[in-house]
Amino acid sequence: MGCLRCEAPDRTRGAERPQRGAQRGDEAGPMSTGPRAIVRHETWTLTPDREPDAAPLSYKMRCTMCEEESPKSEGWNDPQSWALAHSGKNPSHRTYSEVISRPWRTFMHA
């Protein structure tokens, strides 16, 4: 898919578009839109980052009643304890969302 500005069909009936490389009103001169080039198309992949230097997974819980959140933790126990304590202090707050932060990375296929 190319640039919509450069390659979209002219939707005005009967309108003539200038030739590529020509400006409107000057059929011989170059267009003044700047460089336009596609070097190459590449295939990319997105995958969880399991490299040794990747950020660790982290967990937290968010109360869906008041939007309050537990502190972020690398383990599950602290967010779970926070949710139980939060429900104990606020008996009507009984639903939570688990928030997991997982590092991801992309790489280009050769």
Side-chain angles (χ1 to χ4, degrees), residues 89-110:
K89 295 174 189 170
N90 306 281
S92 63
H93 296 203
R94 294 185 237 166
T95 57
Y96 295 85
S97 292
E98 177 184 26
V99 181
I100 300 173
S101 197
R102 180 185 320 272
W104 289 76
R105 67 184 198 94
T106 59
F107 65 91
M108 188 175 8
H109 294 269

Side-chain angles (χ1 to χ4, degrees), residues 5-107:
R5 180 175 160 198
C6 301
E7 296 180 3
D10 191 355
R11 289 181 171 71
T12 308
R13 289 189 183 263
E16 288 187 30
R17 293 188 69 184
Q19 297 289 326
R20 286 191 182 253
Q23 280 182 317
R24 295 177 199 269
D26 181 14
E27 297 299 318
M31 290 187 78
S32 60
T33 59
R36 293 176 290 152
I38 296 175
V39 177
R40 64 183 176 205
H41 291 278
E42 295 291 341
T43 302
W44 288 81
T45 296
L46 177 66
T47 184
D49 191 352
R50 295 186 177 99
E51 296 295 322
D53 62 342
L57 266 69
S58 63
Y59 307 90
K60 65 182 173 180
M61 294 296 283
R62 178 183 300 131
C63 175
T64 59
M65 297 296 295
C66 69
E67 300 296 317
E68 192 173 335
E69 296 181 343
S70 72
K72 188 169 25 171
S73 173
E74 290 183 23
W76 171 244
N77 290 336
D78 291 340
Q80 183 180 30
S81 296
W82 176 88
L84 294 169
H86 185 75
S87 287
K89 295 174 189 170
N90 306 281
S92 63
H93 296 203
R94 294 185 237 166
T95 57
Y96 295 85
S97 292
E98 177 184 26
V99 181
I100 300 173
S101 197
R102 180 185 320 272
W104 289 76
R105 67 184 198 94
T106 59
F107 65 91

